[in-house]
Amino acid sequence: ADPQRCHPSDNGCVAEVRKKHDRENTLLQIPYAGHSAISFAFAQLQAMRKAIGVDWSVRIRYFEKALELLGTIKAVNEENVAVPRSLVDMWESLREMTSTHNVVFETADDDVSAHELILLAASPVQKAMLESAMMEGSSKRIAVKDSASSGVRLFLDMVYSSSSRDEPDYKSALVALDLAHRWQVLGMVPVLAGILREMITVDSFMAIAEAAVLKELEPLQQACAAFGAKNVKIKAMLKKGPVPAPVRKLLGTSDATEAEEGQKKKKRRTFQAP
């Protein structure tokens, strides 16, 4: 099912959630009408977080996990079209008009800004977040403390014009890929995967290959598999370990390495009362 597809607005169905021990005073009612799966999850979170005197922490974690899963929809290949360079220049200029930006991303090392309208059009997840009554919607500040500013900037560059004046490294490209995947900017996922394909080296191999497997990016997986199969240093890493399990599976060596087996067989220390 498409998580972006909205429920019919004329439907009167309502989701009801309540605690068994106090069914009357803990009742929450959220109508399905007009909601997509994503916006409905945000509406549930908003209602539970606003509830006074009721512990909804378990259900809140459930919907937070649901939103993560909804962000794992596979990207689809899109047809490329040629556009005039002047059009790309115009969108780059818009990207650089920071005085008109009205959304701020709080990254691990610096703030990065963008236009709310662009984010609403590009990402259904961002749209649901920014149009909600949650903190992100009211403050227009989005916390991405697990992401470096260089990666967030690259993500936004790609959203605006599918181009960048910067020279990103693979770590920044991986951050941008993760954000595009997480926020369902599906058209950018294969583009960023293509960028990473050209960045595969011995140093970047493990991180790129793991991302390719976990996000089910088949062309990038194939490129990583071809590189790993013929590279002597990668083969040596597989023997010495440790290597992420997804990468081992990709390269057809899922068995534990000698180093990993050695860790399992560490000498046991025994203790007893005096």
Side-chain angles (χ1 to χ4, degrees), residues 133-176:
M134 296 173 63
M135 182 176 66
E136 293 86 354
S138 58
S139 69
K140 306 303 179 186
R141 299 185 71 86
I142 299 172
V144 279
K145 297 295 187 180
D146 59 341
S147 302
S149 60
S150 59
V152 178
R153 279 195 297 269
L154 177 60
F155 165 76
L156 292 171
D157 286 347
M158 301 304 292
V159 166
Y160 274 79
S161 64
S162 191
S163 64
S164 179
R165 298 284 184 179
D166 296 331
E167 291 293 335
D169 56 20
Y170 78 91
K171 293 181 180 179
S172 297
L174 282 171
V175 170

Side-chain angles (χ1 to χ4, degrees), residues 69-91:
L69 292 174
L70 290 172
T72 63
I73 305 299
K74 291 184 180 179
V76 295
N77 292 325
E78 296 185 352
E79 181 182 357
N80 292 322
V81 296
V83 297
R85 183 178 296 275
S86 60
L87 185 61
V88 178
D89 291 341
M90 182 190 72
W91 281 101

Side-chain angles (χ1 to χ4, degrees), residues 7 15 25 54 62 78 90 97 199-200 203 212-213 251 265:
H7 204 275
N25 295 320
V54 184
Y62 170 83
E78 296 185 352
M90 182 190 72
M97 292 179 183
M199 294 180 170
I200 300 173
D203 292 335
V213 175
L251 298 179
K265 297 178 181 178

Side-chain angles (χ1 to χ4, degrees), residues 95-240:
R95 168 82 179 94
E96 294 168 0
M97 292 179 183
T98 55
S99 62
T100 64
H101 292 177
N102 53 352
V103 175
V104 174
F105 293 89
E106 301 173 352
T107 78
D109 55 306
D110 197 7
D111 286 351
V112 182
S113 61
H115 294 95
E116 180 181 10
L117 186 63
I118 300 297
L119 298 172
L120 296 179
S123 165
V125 176
Q126 290 288 322
K127 186 176 189 296
M129 190 183 300
L130 290 169
E131 290 185 339
S132 74
M134 296 173 63
M135 182 176 66
E136 293 86 354
S138 58
S139 69
K140 306 303 179 186
R141 299 185 71 86
I142 299 172
V144 279
K145 297 295 187 180
D146 59 341
S147 302
S149 60
S150 59
V152 178
R153 279 195 297 269
L154 177 60
F155 165 76
L156 292 171
D157 286 347
M158 301 304 292
V159 166
Y160 274 79
S161 64
S162 191
S163 64
S164 179
R165 298 284 184 179
D166 296 331
E167 291 293 335
D169 56 20
Y170 78 91
K171 293 181 180 179
S172 297
L174 282 171
V175 170
L177 173 67
D178 182 67
L179 295 177
H181 195 267
R182 184 192 312 177
W183 291 333
Q184 292 189 25
V185 187
L186 302 184
M188 286 299 102
V189 171
V191 176
L192 289 161
I195 293 173
L196 284 163
R197 185 172 182 170
E198 302 301 318
M199 294 180 170
I200 300 173
T201 64
V202 171
D203 292 335
S204 66
F205 176 81
M206 294 298 173
I208 294 176
E210 185 173 21
V213 175
L214 294 177
K215 292 178 172 59
E216 300 182 358
L217 304 173
E218 293 184 5
L220 188 56
Q221 287 184 47
Q222 293 169 5
C224 290
F227 182 90
K230 64 183 181 182
N231 189 279
V232 175
K233 292 184 178 180
I234 299 299
K235 291 180 180 179
M237 291 180 188
L238 289 170
K239 290 182 179 180
K240 295 178 181 179

